[in-house]
Amino acid sequence: MGSRTASLFTYLLLPLSLALLAAAGAAYLGADNRPSASLRLEQADWQNVTVPAFSDAPQMQDAAALPRNWQRVELPLAPPVALLRQARPPGERPAVIVTWLRLRPGTLPLTAHPLALYGARIKTDGTIAVYIDGQLAYRDQQDGLRWNSSRTPLWFTLDSGKEPREILLRLEHSERSRVAASSFWLGPVDALRPRYLVRQWLQQELPSMLSAAFLAVGLFALFVWLRRRDETGYLLFFCLGATAFFRTLHFYSSLPIRNDWFAWLTVNSLFWLVLVVHIFLLQLHGRPQRAFTGFLVALTVSVALLTQPLLPLLHNTPKVTPLIYVVAALMGAAVCAAGIAASWRRSGEGMPVACGIGICVLLGISDWLLQNNFVSPEGWYLGAYTNAICFATFGSLMYRRYLSAIEEAEQLNASLAHRLRAREAELEESHRRLRDIELRQTISEERQRLMQDMHDGFGSSLIGAIRSVEHGRITDAQVSRILKDCLDDLKLTIDSMEPVESDLLLLLATLRFRLEPRLEGSNIGLRWEVQEVPALPWLDPSRALHVLRILQECVANILRHTRATEIRVRTAASSDGVQVSIEDNGQGFDPDRALAAGSGRGLQNQRRRAAVLGGTVRWESGPEGTRFTLWLPLCAPGQKAAEAA
């Protein structure tokens, strides 16, 4: 698949993916989204009734049996909270209050069943009970306030199968805390479910997914840091992901609120998160800020010690948490201000991080106002999205650094490719020059070899023949023989330049091709009994000519002096060499005498050429003929001595 086809395929997948996501969202929310079919309840009667203690909600409750202290109120209901009174240490037993809300729905716009009751938020630290026409229809928080109660919408279906005439809410709470209640929706389940699911998804499930994704990327950064210990930014990113995950655990946990380690972890992780962001900022803008850092560390450690459950120096930590969050907000604002001041015109990466922590502080303040009844309880908790802000901020840093690393890698690859091409061109030029030098050297060596061979071979024969002809001391037959010998020498010289691939038998075949016509012309039979012999790696053209000269001289001596009628050529191999033997049936001679008398000039040349090759020649002559043997080594001359050294 080509790159253009892949790109076109990708562009087609994008709208298809978006369409599938939209279809999945529509299927998740339900097909019937008709808010006009529902009735919004925005008015209620309410009153507070003091009771001795927390108790179970009864199965039946008649509004007429309650005190007649009803007051008309517009929903949402959010009485002010006294934070200092709520946080005071226990010394007296606080009273328990039951807040009653009475709703009278009236007639629904459309009649469809089953019906459901939906409310964005109900806040209380005791049991929540809902009575439909005096019958208990819903109950929650029997074990007290849970961590995620304020983020969990009220939702249940009515089983009676008829429209309710009166809805009564029983909200039990301590004297020091206050309740809050949003307006309510009553209508068909299919019409109200999308509203409930959207709030449930945006308030709990989406922040949970973002928090888990932040932690997953943080774990990835941790494994990167384990392989690159000198880059502490990856370790800090993991710490951010971990502390952010701990911080938001209580948003999604259905555990009841108690003064335990879970509360300590989720509350203090907010301070850890701010401290890690500050350390990250120090790395980005490069200014130490030692005094400020020391203050932040001391503050974080102090809060951790004061709120730890083993020695509860601050009693009833969940009650004082709103005040602790004020300290955390001030700490975050200080880190934001210090980060902006230090990064201004100094660090392009520090500014977005400092601004990001500022946005997180604002989101936290919004949650704090909502949690403490300073704003309508129908608002949205935005603090859960601080993870998304942190993730986006630091993810953008990673994204920019990732792109920068890719661009640097591309530039480095381009530079390396350019240098490689230049180096290849230099090597090609050097190689061409070496080839030219080697060619000139080869031509020079070949010229010298040919000149030397002409001087020792047919060149000297031609000069001698010319002088003999000039002085009239030679017959025509002798001139013809000399010219034939010179022609054979010239052919052998040319044959020696043919590549023989270290094959001695191929060289002998060439010699046979050249000499066989002369043997046939002299009525001498040739018996060719050569066998396979090992290759001679050192057999180059120059040395091949020496071998040919030695054997040519042997055959020439047979033709001139022995009167033989048959020649037998054989080969044999030994452990350290090969030998070529030529036998004739002519009259023999005394090799030692011929060598000593100085008349055997050809024999001396054979011995000299064999010595150049590291080989030997030997003659065995008698009345029945002569046997000439040439022994050649397997290794090149001098190679054994070099290996031994």
Side-chain angles (χ1 to χ4, degrees), residues 191-500:
L192 288 181
R193 180 182 287 114
R195 186 183 300 274
Y196 161 72
L197 291 179
V198 167
R199 180 168 284 270
Q200 179 79 5
W201 190 70
L202 292 178
Q203 288 282 243
Q204 290 191 355
E205 296 175 3
L206 179 60
S208 176
M209 293 166 55
L210 294 174
S211 178
F214 195 5
L215 178 62
V217 178
L219 290 174
F220 173 78
L222 174 63
F223 285 110
V224 174
W225 174 78
L226 291 176
R227 298 297 300 269
R228 304 176 68 88
R229 297 295 182 89
D230 55 333
E231 299 184 17
T232 56
Y234 292 104
L235 179 60
L236 289 175
F237 191 88
F238 164 72
C239 294
L240 279 173
T243 53
F245 181 76
F246 294 145
R247 167 59 195 152
T248 54
L249 274 179
H250 65 287
F251 291 169
Y252 327 117
S253 172
S254 60
L255 295 173
I257 293 179
R258 293 190 182 94
N259 189 9
D260 56 7
W261 285 106
F262 184 83
W264 179 85
L265 176 66
T266 57
V267 171
N268 281 273
S269 58
L270 177 59
F271 291 86
W272 305 341
L273 177 63
V274 176
L275 183 60
V276 173
V277 171
H278 170 68
I279 296 174
F280 216 121
L281 279 170
L282 293 180
Q283 283 204 342
L284 294 178
H285 57 62
R287 293 183 175 177
Q289 297 181 335
R290 294 186 178 84
F292 183 57
T293 303
F295 168 75
L296 294 179
V297 172
L299 177 61
T300 302
V301 172
S302 299
V303 173
L305 293 176
L306 290 173
T307 56
Q308 50 81 29
L310 294 180
L311 297 174
L313 302 177
L314 286 179
H315 297 279
N316 198 11
T317 298
K319 297 297 183 183
V320 301
T321 296
L323 298 178
I324 294 177
Y325 284 163
V326 173
V327 179
L330 294 175
M331 179 177 170
V335 169
C336 171
I340 292 177
S343 303
W344 182 257
R345 296 180 179 179
R346 182 182 179 91
S347 173
E349 293 183 338
M351 284 299 294
V353 173
C355 294
I357 190 65
I359 295 174
C360 292
V361 170
L362 293 177
L363 296 181
I365 292 175
S366 130
D367 278 12
W368 187 87
L369 295 175
L370 179 61
Q371 184 66 22
N372 294 285
N373 290 358
F374 290 102
V375 296
S376 169
E378 292 190 353
W380 293 81
Y381 278 110
L382 303 178
Y385 290 94
T386 55
N387 279 354
I389 300 297
C390 289
F391 193 14
T393 302
F394 289 95
S396 65
L397 294 183
M398 294 181 63
Y399 176 72
R400 291 176 57 184
R401 292 189 177 187
Y402 177 71
L403 290 183
S404 299
I406 291 178
E407 292 174 357
E408 290 179 2
E410 290 177 346
Q411 293 176 359
L412 180 60
N413 290 335
S415 175
L416 289 176
H418 177 71
R419 293 169 58 186
L420 180 60
R421 287 193 296 270
R423 188 60 178 168
E424 287 177 347
E426 293 177 0
L427 291 175
E428 182 65 24
E429 179 63 18
S430 299
H431 184 60
R432 186 187 63 77
R433 292 176 181 175
L434 288 176
R435 288 200 306 270
D436 292 343
I437 294 173
E438 184 179 7
L439 179 59
R440 288 195 295 270
Q441 185 176 359
T442 301
I443 293 174
S444 176
E445 292 176 354
E446 196 63 20
R447 182 185 297 112
Q448 291 179 0
R449 186 178 69 84
L450 292 176
M451 291 297 294
Q452 181 67 35
D453 195 70
M454 288 176 63
H455 180 269
D456 296 340
F458 66 89
S460 60
S461 299
L462 286 175
I463 292 173
I466 291 172
R467 289 178 179 174
S468 297
V469 170
E470 288 176 349
H471 291 83
R473 297 182 307 208
I474 191 168
T475 63
D476 293 342
Q478 291 175 324
V479 172
S480 175
R481 183 181 59 82
I482 293 173
L483 292 177
K484 289 181 179 178
D485 291 342
C486 290
L487 184 59
D488 289 341
D489 285 347
L490 182 59
K491 290 179 178 177
L492 287 179
T493 302
I494 296 173
D495 290 341
S496 67
M497 300 174 67
E498 293 290 336
V500 294

